[in-house]
Amino acid sequence: MIFHEPGSPPLIPINRSDVLDMDNRSNTVSHRLRTNVRFARGESGTLSSTQMPHLETPHPDQFPELALEYFDKLQPACPKPLKTGWKERLFPTHRRAIQEANQQRHTVYLRELLNWRHEKDAHERKENLRAIAYLRAQQGVVPAMEQVLKDRLTEIICPSATSASFEISSDGNCLVLDVVLARLEAYVQNHSRCSQPVEERSSNDCSKHMLGQYDASIHSIAVRLIGEAFASAPSIETVVVSGLVYTENQFPGREAKRYLFSVRVNRCEWRRVDFANLDAAVPVHLLAEFNLRRDYTEEGNLKSIVPWPIDFAAALS
């Protein structure tokens, strides 16, 4: 089955073996590899859906729509032949030079046209595979659900997070996701603007303000990731999202992981969230309603914690 929007050129059919491979991969691979995703980059600003991604969290039963990416590279134009003048008509050497130039330009054009057609065909095949993936994902095929979730995560813009990695259990029931967060120092440096002019706030007040904003932002991205996971993977019943930062290690050139929070959510519990009123939700408090591992210092900084286990059997128990 090939999908394309009305009025758009039909996509090129793909090999049935590609579709069968997507269906069978989850059954033939006993240990699944993690899918890595980098978030989109955006400009910092007010606390909008960019800085507070949870505001666009989808309902768990709202499967994402496929947005086809059109091939927008222009087809090479056929060059107009160089015209001959009186010199070319009188002197054979001039005439041959014009003919050779026209032949060379036409050869270059044919080469560029062939490359353009190859790129266009490859792009349309890729879009066909994405369309098939979206169909298979709704049927619970694990590689297809991974593709859909990857598509969704690459569109997220969040200044407090840089990337994520996830894996889905082979039975398609559980998803474990790690999100790499910006360190507090880096976040404060890049988003050090207070809502009031600096001279009207003490440095301590501004520091507390930024700490609270950072805390809200990293919990906001966690809410969004949980929502995208449930929406993109209909067969998933349990999602585990853990937020981590990389800190300097005692060994030069190496960094150590430090987990700041880890939350385990069941689909039935997640459905109870009021998705129509997310602007009134407080992500820090919202995640506390689920199985959340998180701890604070007296100053309000997040302590290191042990995340929920990656072992799928343990995560589902």
Side-chain angles (χ1 to χ4, degrees), residues 78-301:
C78 182
K80 293 182 179 180
L82 299 175
K83 296 181 179 179
T84 56
W86 64 269
K87 283 186 178 180
E88 288 73 28
R89 288 192 292 270
L90 291 177
F91 303 102
T93 55
H94 287 273
R95 185 166 59 251
R96 284 195 298 270
I98 290 292
Q99 292 173 345
E100 291 175 359
N102 284 333
Q103 182 63 39
Q104 183 178 7
R105 294 175 66 194
H106 191 70
T107 300
V108 171
Y109 160 71
L110 292 178
R111 186 185 307 116
E112 292 177 348
L113 179 62
L114 182 62
N115 292 336
W116 178 85
R117 286 175 175 170
H118 286 164
E119 291 180 21
K120 185 172 182 290
D121 290 349
H123 175 83
E124 292 179 342
R125 287 192 178 93
K126 184 189 73 172
E127 290 305 293
N128 264 328
L129 285 173
R130 288 183 63 230
I132 293 295
Y134 274 65
L135 176 64
R136 293 293 190 266
Q138 297 180 69
Q139 301 169 350
V141 177
V142 172
M145 293 190 295
E146 291 173 339
Q147 175 64 53
V148 175
L149 181 56
K150 184 177 181 180
D151 280 0
R152 294 297 304 156
L153 297 189
T154 54
E155 297 179 4
I156 295 178
I157 300 176
C158 181
S160 62
T162 59
S163 62
S165 63
F166 66 89
E167 58 181 314
I168 301 176
S169 60
S170 58
D171 59 6
N173 289 331
C174 182
L175 182 146
V176 175
L177 184 148
D178 281 357
V179 54
V180 179
L181 307 169
R183 285 186 287 189
L184 176 60
E185 299 80 8
Y187 181 87
V188 172
Q189 183 179 0
N190 295 330
H191 307 84
S192 58
R193 293 171 298 180
C194 296
S195 59
Q196 298 178 11
V198 176
E199 59 269 19
E200 297 182 14
R201 282 177 177 262
S202 68
S203 59
N204 187 44
D205 288 340
C206 191
S207 177
K208 290 182 178 179
H209 173 80
M210 291 305 302
L211 180 59
Q213 186 171 315
Y214 174 76
D215 200 30
S217 184
I218 63 175
H219 285 81
S220 177
I221 185 63
V223 172
R224 176 69 178 277
L225 293 175
I226 296 170
E228 294 292 354
F230 279 129
S232 302
S235 70
I236 295 296
E237 292 298 329
T238 302
V239 169
V240 177
V241 171
S242 303
L244 64 102
V245 293
Y246 283 99
T247 59
E248 294 183 0
N249 197 301
Q250 58 179 339
F251 301 103
R254 295 186 179 182
E255 293 181 313
K257 289 182 180 180
R258 188 166 75 88
Y259 284 89
L260 302 183
F261 65 81
S262 185
V263 58
R264 186 181 69 185
V265 185
N266 181 271
R267 180 181 289 270
C268 293
E269 298 172 339
W270 190 248
R271 286 195 180 102
R272 294 199 290 266
V273 174
D274 186 3
F275 294 95
N277 198 28
L278 287 173
D279 55 345
V282 180
V284 176
H285 300 155
L286 177 60
L287 290 185
E289 299 178 10
F290 304 97
N291 294 317
L292 176 64
R293 292 184 176 182
R294 180 186 65 191
D295 196 10
Y296 290 97
T297 64
E298 293 182 358
E299 294 77 18
N301 292 297

